[in-house]
Amino acid sequence: MESDYTVLFIDDYSDLEKLDKEIHIGRWERAYSKGILEHRLEKFDLVVLDMDTGNRMKEDPRDISSRVSKEKFYLTVKNEKDERKAWGKIREWNAGGYLVMPISHEQIVEILRGINPKRDNQLPFLNSENFK
């Protein structure tokens, strides 16, 4: 069974090949910040913004959080030393939380389960044995 969840990563700086190796979910997209507000963000089950990208966006990252619920909007940071900065941005940009890269598919699954537990049967990619 394929998941019908969709995840959008807004990230101007990560290597796409590396990002693809880190994210083991069935359907995800990557977008650059330029023109992101022209996208239909509402169609995604989860929107993840790279904190460095958000800091350099011409648009205000709060415009993203105004279009998706707080539960569906997360930040990513490159490493744990950015944790303190992330908490300030979470409050400022009204995000639901943050994830330290590399992100595991289990983390994404847990977020998606929290957003809509009724669709739990749509999360067949939880079995990490499939992704080794």
Side-chain angles (χ1 to χ4, degrees), residues 89-106:
K89 293 300 180 182
I90 288 169
R91 287 190 292 278
E92 181 182 342
W93 296 342
N94 197 33
Y98 77 95
L99 300 165
V100 177
M101 295 295 268
I103 302 170
S104 71
H105 71 282
E106 287 94 349

Side-chain angles (χ1 to χ4, degrees), residues 3 5 7 9 23-25 45-46 48 70-74 96-99 103-128 131:
S3 168
Y5 281 103
V7 180
F9 290 88
I23 303 166
H24 303 290
I25 57 176
D45 295 296
L46 183 62
V48 182
K70 182 176 186 171
E71 295 80 22
K72 294 182 176 186
F73 180 44
Y74 273 72
Y98 77 95
L99 300 165
I103 302 170
S104 71
H105 71 282
E106 287 94 349
Q107 289 172 298
I108 299 294
V109 168
E110 289 306 313
I111 293 168
L112 291 171
R113 278 192 170 140
I115 293 170
N116 195 344
K118 292 179 183 176
R119 288 176 56 195
D120 196 49
N121 65 336
Q122 291 293 320
L123 298 170
F125 50 88
L126 176 60
N127 183 355
S128 62
F131 302 102

Side-chain angles (χ1 to χ4, degrees), residues 16-30:
L16 187 58
E17 187 174 305
K18 184 177 179 186
L19 196 62
D20 193 39
K21 288 179 184 176
E22 293 169 350
I23 303 166
H24 303 290
I25 57 176
R27 295 173 53 191
W28 67 275
E29 294 179 33
R30 186 236 193 137

Side-chain angles (χ1 to χ4, degrees), residues 6-91:
T6 56
V7 180
L8 176 67
F9 290 88
I10 305 168
D11 188 333
D12 291 347
Y13 304 103
S14 292
D15 179 314
L16 187 58
E17 187 174 305
K18 184 177 179 186
L19 196 62
D20 193 39
K21 288 179 184 176
E22 293 169 350
I23 303 166
H24 303 290
I25 57 176
R27 295 173 53 191
W28 67 275
E29 294 179 33
R30 186 236 193 137
Y32 294 95
S33 63
K34 186 174 182 172
I36 188 63
L37 297 181
E38 296 168 9
H39 285 70
R40 287 189 44 229
L41 300 180
E42 303 83 5
K43 75 178 185 176
F44 294 96
D45 295 296
L46 183 62
V47 176
V48 182
L49 173 64
D50 170 67
M51 191 172 73
D52 292 337
T53 299
N55 284 330
R56 293 180 177 97
M57 284 176 63
K58 290 181 182 177
E59 296 95 350
D60 188 336
R62 287 177 286 201
D63 290 339
I64 296 171
S65 62
S66 70
R67 295 175 53 197
V68 296
S69 69
K70 182 176 186 171
E71 295 80 22
K72 294 182 176 186
F73 180 44
Y74 273 72
L75 304 180
T76 60
V77 295
K78 300 291 185 241
N79 53 54
E80 290 183 22
K81 70 180 182 177
D82 295 325
E83 180 179 29
R84 188 171 289 176
K85 295 176 196 171
W87 282 111
K89 293 300 180 182
I90 288 169
R91 287 190 292 278

